[in-house]
Every structure is written in C-alpha cells, then in structure tokens.
Amino acid sequence: MKEIVLYNSLTREKEVFKPIKEGEVGMYSCGPTVYNYAHIGNFRAYVFSDLLRRVLEDYGYNVKLVMNLTDVDDKTIKNSKENHISLNEYTKKYKEAFFEDIKTLGIKKASVNPAATDHIKEMIDIIELLKKNGHTYEADGSVYFKISTFPQYGELANLDKQELLEGASGRVLNDEYDKENASDFVLWKAYTEEDGDVYWDSPFGKGRPGWHIECSAMSCKYLGKHFDIHTGGVDNKFPHHENEIAQNEAAFNEKFVNYWLHCEHLIVDGEKMSKSKGNFYTLRDLLDKGLSKEAIRYSLINSHYRKQLNFTIEGIKQSQSAIDRVNDFVFRLKDINKTDTNEINDKLSKEIDEANDKFSDSVYNDLNISEALGVLFTLIKNANTSFDSINNETRDKMIKFIERVNNIINCFKINDEEENKDDEEEINKLIEERSLAKKEKNYQKADEIRNKLLSMGIEIMDTPQGVKWKRK
Ligand code: AMP
Ligand code: ZN
C-alpha cells in the first residue's frame, strides 16, 4: 500500500502521514473572519484544505473537517457599529456569503462550522485551566498568556529561543503582530466602550475572548485535545498557530496537533492579496467578469500549495482552456460505441492503469497536483492519437479514471445531468431579471447578468421569439 507523505511545518520535514485512529482523520482549518466578503486569496487557503481533504478521502480515510467562523473580533465589532446593527445581524450576512462562495468553488462543506460566539463558555474554561496551571496573569482587567512559562514557545515559527528570552518582555492586546515582537498575548480582553454591547461575563470580568483562544476551544471541542492535522495560510503560523499550541498544550499537558500544514500566499504584483492593501478580488468580482467558477477553482488548485501563487486573469483563462480540453475529451468519449478488441485497446488499458498509479504517487507526495494533472493530460494526449479505435471497455475505464481525478480536482464536467437540473431555476430567474433590467434601460445591470450567466457556462441569445439559452 502506498503512503501519504506531507510536509509538516512543525518539524520542517516531509513525513509519512499516520493517523491517530486507524482509517480516520481529524482535521481543523482556520476559517474566515466574517467581517466582509472573503477574497480570492482567502479562498486559496480553503481550496487547499479541500484538496488535502479530498486526497485523504481518495486514499480511503474518513475525514472529519472542522472549520470555524470568527464572528467576534475588532473588525466585526467595528463594522457592525458603523452599520448600526447588532454583531450577529452583521456577521450573518457574511457567514451566508461564505457558504455560498465555498459551494460555488466546489469546496466540500466541513463536518462542523462552529462560530466563536457560540463557544465563549468553552474558551473561558480553557483560560481558567491555564490560570490554574500558572500560565496567565491579569493586567488592566485583561488576561494574558505568559509565554516564558511555556518553554516550547516558538517551535512552529522557528523562533530563536535566546532572542525570545531576551526580547519577549512586552505584552500585546492586538490579535495580530509580527515575529519580531513575540510577546505575551491576550486570552481575554477587558471590556472597553468601543465594544458597545458586545461583551460576556466571565470570572475575569466583563469582556470578550482573544482570537487565538477561539480556535483552541473549538478544535478541542469537536476533534479532541489531540488530533491529526491543522491547516491555514502561512500568515497564520505566527502568532496565531504558535499561540494555539501554547494554549492547548499548557492547558491539557498533551500534544495538540501531529501535522501542521500551511499554504503559501496568493500574490498580486509581488504582494500578498489582502483587504488592507486593496489589491483584492472577491469571487463575485471574478464571476462578474464572466470567468467560470471551475476555472477559478482550477487556478487556485493547480500550483503547489507551498509555492506562492501569482494571480492573473490570464492564468484563469489558461485554466479554462485546460478544463475545456478535458471536458471535450470526455464528451467525445461518451459518444463511443465499439465492441471490437485489439492491441491498441490493450495498450491504452495498460496506460490507464499506469496513470492511476502515477496519479496516486503524485497526489500522495505532499499534494503534487501539477504532476498529477500532467499524468491526466499525457493520457488524454496519447488516447487522442488512437481515439477512433477506442472501444467501450477502454472508454469506461478511461471515464472511471477521470472521475477519480475529478473527485479531487472537481473542475471537470463528467456527469453534468444532475447539475443541469438544479441550476435551471436560477438561470430562468436571471434571464427574467435581465429582461426587466433591459426594459428599465438599465443596460449595465443587464450586462452584469449576462456575464454572471456566462460564468455559469450559460450563453444567451436574444431572438425575435424571446431569450433563448444554451450551455457552452
Ligand atoms: P482571515 O479572514 O484574514 O483570518 O484569513 C482567512 C484565511 O485566509 C487564513 O487561513 C489566511 O492565512 C488566508 N489568507 C489570507 N490572505 C491570503 C492570501 N493572499 N493568500 C493565501 N491565503 C490567504
Ligand atoms: Zn484559527
């Protein structure tokens, strides 16, 4: 049996993956802060965790994925106040948008999506344990984790121990800060006027949790104190994940996570895509440009997760060509109806077996997806040279292989009949909306709707008999 090998950020080495419980994987991925629409850089992190999950499932594991929703922090509180609505009302909109977006991107839903505001009690419990174990102190009504009480602090981010001892004297109330300022971090923030009506009572006084304790409490509740895999973007490594490790291991005195996996950033013109830099696209922005959800997913998936991904619209268009090549091949395969056997089919059948084998070698080797896709395209190229000889048996075997690939990539149309049914209602609704917009001479809106339909793979034609549509 082949083995799955993953690069563990904690040991900085590739390691053979061995689950704690045979056949099962417990996995936690840091989810979105629901203060706005997630941008396409955020989605790289979620598509990566989806890819990892699908590869583990391909191997035969039963994966339990937990992805949290950060629905209380400085940004959500500030924005809800500016909009004069409650925190819950404000975050609800972005929680819903997030679920809609991950569905669009073909990301499988997590087994649980716990929201931070539903787990305040669990967070308080861990802070109390940390206090009991001598890892905390209070200052100005807030509770801090004292990093000097946890000798392993800095292992994940590979911080220099000596520098830490000399330099880590301060404390931070902010949730995010850089490596150069490793400091005691906040577990419970004392209430300030700025928090408005957002606060909880606790044994440490009125206030709210720090960001890091949220993930500690929710991962441990749904996956146990010790679980297999934790993922996030590289920017989560420090301080967020470092602090999670400190909190859990200092509270429970046992190992927290066996494998830490981090995906590199999606960058634009050499810089990380981020809200604060203003260099971002949301998924909706891209769909409005007429780009397909499959091509966007493919672009996010097809380069290695530990390499920076340079985002370009041109790249998404190239992804579309790759997808079209596969879809076109499958479409033609389905038309085959031949029963005669011959050497060409024997040879192709052997090539499909080899492709399956090589595909496993690639994806099980730390998710080498470009190599895995290379296997698929080489097979298609070879099959195309003798396409007219393919018989039904080879056809079925080939489709089965592409289905396997697609269970992981999830960008190709193999069995689109089912999908067709459940989007017709939406297509008709959009066409109606477009007709109405045209009647009202709102041509910009009409164009936007046409582009949205295009991104769904729907082409519309205005005819004297009314609007007609077809799938591209
Ligand atoms: P946030 O909502 O900022 O907490 O980010 C949610 C997730 O998206 C985290 O795992 C981040 O590491 C990840 N992330 C944010 N920006 C990028 C980016 N440009 N490329 C890849 N991942 C990102
Ligand atoms: Zn987290």
Side-chain angles (χ1 to χ4, degrees), residues 31-33 39 41-42 45-46 232-233 235-236 264-266 272-273:
T33 306
H39 61 65
N42 300 129
Y46 309 131
D235 57 332
N236 283 160
E264 258 297 342
H265 282 143
L266 182 147
K272 175 192 168 193
M273 179 177 279

Side-chain angles (χ1 to χ4, degrees), residues 37 41 59 71 79 111 114 130 135 140 156 232 249 269 291 322 385:
Y37 293 110
Y59 191 84
D71 60 351
N79 288 11
S111 320
L130 288 171
H135 295 286
D140 306 324
L156 178 68
E249 298 194 355
D269 298 327
L291 299 162
T385 57

Side-chain angles (χ1 to χ4, degrees), residues 61-192:
Y61 287 120
N62 185 10
V63 181
K64 179 172 180 182
L65 171 67
V66 178
M67 185 185 281
N68 68 296
L69 300 165
T70 298
D71 60 351
V72 54
D73 80 324
D74 298 343
K75 292 178 279 198
T76 43
I77 294 176
K78 182 169 163 275
N79 288 11
S80 65
K81 270 179 79 183
E82 277 170 14
N83 284 274
H84 309 289
I85 50 173
S86 72
L87 180 68
N88 275 349
E89 229 178 304
Y90 181 78
T91 56
K92 188 168 175 273
K93 174 176 169 191
Y94 295 108
K95 282 180 191 169
E96 281 166 7
F98 176 71
F99 288 123
E100 213 180 287
D101 286 353
I102 59 167
K103 187 167 175 229
T104 304
L105 279 175
I107 297 173
K108 278 195 193 177
K109 243 185 133 222
S111 320
V112 201
N113 284 110
T117 52
D118 295 329
H119 296 81
I120 305 292
K121 159 121 190 13
E122 287 82 347
M123 298 175 206
I124 294 174
D125 288 348
I126 299 185
I127 303 173
E128 289 215 276
L129 260 181
L130 288 171
K131 188 174 168 184
K132 194 173 126 233
N133 294 351
H135 295 286
T136 68
Y137 63 90
E138 294 180 34
D140 306 324
S142 295
V143 184
Y144 292 87
F145 186 102
K146 193 168 177 50
I147 59 174
S148 60
T149 64
F150 186 70
Q152 303 91 307
Y153 194 83
E155 261 173 26
L156 178 68
N158 203 13
L159 302 185
D160 186 301
K161 288 273 142 69
Q162 198 50 39
E163 266 178 40
L164 253 185
L165 284 176
E166 286 159 11
S169 51
R171 58 171 171 265
V172 280
L173 196 58
N174 292 348
D175 284 326
E176 291 180 73
Y177 48 92
D178 54 37
K179 268 195 203 173
E180 283 61 47
N181 296 310
S183 322
D184 295 342
F185 59 91
V186 73
L187 297 163
W188 187 261
K189 297 188 188 200
Y191 178 77
T192 67

Side-chain angles (χ1 to χ4, degrees), residues 7-12 30 153-159 177 179 211-212 230-245 260-265 306:
Y7 181 85
N8 190 349
S9 305
L10 189 63
T11 55
R12 286 169 282 282
C30 286
Y153 194 83
E155 261 173 26
L156 178 68
N158 203 13
L159 302 185
Y177 48 92
K179 268 195 203 173
W211 171 37
H212 316 297
H230 196 313
T231 76
V234 276
D235 57 332
N236 283 160
K237 211 193 272 185
F238 192 88
H240 186 48
H241 291 161
E242 193 70 62
N243 293 352
E244 274 189 48
I245 296 175
W260 286 89
L261 273 79
H262 293 98
C263 88
E264 258 297 342
H265 282 143
R306 283 193 288 121

